Amino acid sequence: MASEDVKTSESAVSTIVNLAEEAKLAREGVKAPSYAILSICKSLAAGGVAGGVSRTAVAPLERLKILLQVQNPHSIKYNGTIQGLKYIWRTEGFRGLFKGNGTNCARIVPNSAVKFFSYEQASKGILYLHQRQTGNEDAQLTPLLRLGAGACAGIIAMSATYPMDMVRGRITVQTESSPYQYRGMFHALSTVLREEGPRALYKGWLPSVIGVIPYVGLNFSVYESLKDWLIKSRPFGLVEDSELSVTTRLACGAAAGTVGQTVAYPLDVIRRRMQMVGWKDAASVVSGDGRNKASLEYTGMIDAFRKTVRHEGFGALYKGLVPNSVKVVPSIAIAFVSYEVVKDILGVEIRISD
């Protein structure tokens, strides 16, 4: 993960020196070393694999979470994690558990790739500025600086792929009884664009941006800080030769994911509900099978918060939290560990080829 470049001050400084040397070569019209391009491809590939593997592993819980977030409160079909999963299995079969996963993977692979890569680049830049400001070439990133790097990476990645996430949410809540079926991601994108206009593809973008700051920022900063603390303090014999085992990395990722998702969860609920606004042929889970069919319209994020709490209570902001909590631990942990493992494998291949 990103910690490979900021694990120690020596590796961090050498990375900055390499980047500075490449920039100098570029200004002089000289081709930069090929290893820089290979390093970029390595980061993107590792991030993509991490995102795809982790999301597929928890796809049933991800779908149930979204169903719980947006279902019509006057027509409850999903009432808890176990009941909800059983209901999906009984009414839609095995494929129903993974509905929307293809679109999610198509979105999450580039999203994760850009996010992890952006974090590494933001960390390098922030570390370079921090070292120049303090005059200490051995300075390391503080948790606050890591939070900033993680938030920047999350906003860039989320904004780049948000239209895919918007239609993924709608595809995910479709059932066999839905009045109109999106046939896939591209069909959904073209339909929303034609019927609701280009702005509709960014419904819920603002709470998503705000939610990125605590969610992604805390994920990265808590994960990196835990790893650094474990390497320095070496508690319970968890560290050998300044390296953490895969199991320890998994635990760090799980802790980071739990903190991030708990803080940002209400914003995720509001985002999903705003994505459903204006859907003419809304899925039955949203419209309530015709009963109280007029789902609430929101004029903005604040209005969505206000109406949700007024009509359903404060607890509505945490609908779907249980399946999300169950899924976020393995999902985030697998994503981080997969990224590091794949990057290590690619790094070995690159060194051999050189």
Side-chain angles (χ1 to χ4, degrees):
M1 219 201 81
S3 60
E4 293 184 5
D5 294 322
V6 292
K7 189 182 298 179
T8 64
S9 59
E10 181 179 356
S11 62
V13 172
S14 64
T15 300
I16 295 299
V17 170
N18 290 336
L19 289 174
E21 190 63 30
E22 291 171 24
K24 179 180 178 182
L25 291 172
R27 288 195 301 269
E28 296 174 351
V30 180
K31 184 177 180 181
S34 60
Y35 69 82
I37 299 176
L38 291 175
S39 178
I40 291 173
C41 293
K42 179 174 68 172
S43 295
L44 290 173
V49 171
V53 170
S54 64
R55 290 291 179 167
T56 300
V58 297
L61 290 168
E62 174 68 12
R63 186 185 181 213
L64 178 61
K65 179 200 76 171
I66 296 176
L67 290 168
L68 289 169
Q69 287 177 333
V70 303
Q71 74 173 335
N72 191 305
H74 303 287
S75 180
I76 301 296
K77 297 180 180 179
Y78 310 94
N79 190 21
T81 305
I82 302 301
Q83 181 275 337
L85 291 173
K86 287 182 177 179
Y87 184 84
I88 295 173
W89 177 275
R90 185 174 67 253
T91 57
E92 302 181 62
F94 178 78
R95 292 183 62 184
L97 294 172
F98 291 87
K99 183 170 290 185
N101 185 55
T103 305
N104 192 27
C105 287
R107 177 193 71 86
I108 205 64
V109 169
N111 180 280
S112 293
V114 174
K115 182 170 61 179
F116 279 98
F117 173 68
S118 298
Y119 178 74
E120 290 200 352
Q121 301 309 307
S123 297
K124 293 172 185 176
I126 292 174
L127 178 61
Y128 175 68
L129 293 175
H130 180 57
Q131 289 174 342
R132 289 191 60 182
Q133 184 179 20
T134 59
N136 180 12
E137 293 185 355
D138 294 329
Q140 296 183 358
L141 289 175
T142 64
L144 184 60
L145 293 177
R146 287 175 179 150
L147 177 64
C152 289
I155 291 173
I156 292 171
M158 183 275 298
S159 299
T161 59
Y162 191 81
M164 299 170 68
D165 178 68
M166 188 272 185
V167 298
R168 193 267 295 199
R170 292 192 177 186
I171 292 173
T172 298
V173 302
Q174 285 186 157
T175 64
E176 297 301 322
S177 59
S178 298
Y180 182 82
Q181 297 285 332
Y182 294 124
R183 296 191 295 271
M185 181 181 67
F186 293 108
H187 178 247
L189 284 169
S190 62
T191 301
V192 173
L193 190 62
R194 182 179 66 255
E195 296 184 352
E196 303 175 48
R199 291 184 61 184
L201 294 174
Y202 281 88
K203 287 180 177 178
W205 179 82
L206 181 58
S208 297
V209 170
I210 297 175
V212 158
I213 296 174
Y215 183 66
V216 177
L218 286 173
N219 277 347
F220 280 108
S221 62
V222 172
Y223 180 79
E224 296 285 1
S225 297
L226 277 175
K227 285 185 63 179
D228 287 350
W229 176 75
L230 289 172
I231 291 173
K232 292 177 181 177
S233 61
R234 298 172 178 267
F236 313 113
L238 295 175
V239 181
E240 296 181 2
D241 299 327
S242 299
E243 289 291 338
L244 298 180
S245 66
V246 173
T247 303
T248 305
R249 292 178 186 177
L250 193 69
C252 291
T258 301
V259 173
Q261 67 91 20
T262 301
V263 172
Y265 194 78
L267 288 162
D268 187 58
V269 172
I270 295 303
R271 169 178 68 124
R272 290 297 175 199
R273 294 190 168 204
M274 292 179 68
Q275 289 176 347
M276 304 299 153
V277 171
W279 189 3
K280 180 170 63 69
D281 297 305
S284 58
V285 67
V286 177
S287 64
D289 288 329
R291 294 184 294 274
N292 297 287
K293 192 177 183 65
S295 56
L296 289 174
E297 295 289 330
Y298 308 120
T299 59
M301 182 182 68
I302 301 300
D303 185 55
F305 268 109
R306 182 170 53 83
K307 288 181 178 177
T308 297
V309 174
R310 178 198 297 169
H311 294 282
E312 302 175 54
F314 183 79
L317 297 176
Y318 287 90
K319 284 186 174 180
L321 179 62
V322 173
N324 190 63
S325 298
V326 173
K327 82 167 182 68
V328 78
V329 172
S331 176
I332 298 297
I334 292 171
F336 278 107
V337 175
S338 299
Y339 181 80
E340 294 198 355
V341 170
V342 173
K343 190 175 178 181
D344 287 343
I345 294 174
L346 292 175
V348 171
E349 292 177 350
I350 289 172
R351 286 191 292 271
I352 291 175
S353 64
D354 289 342

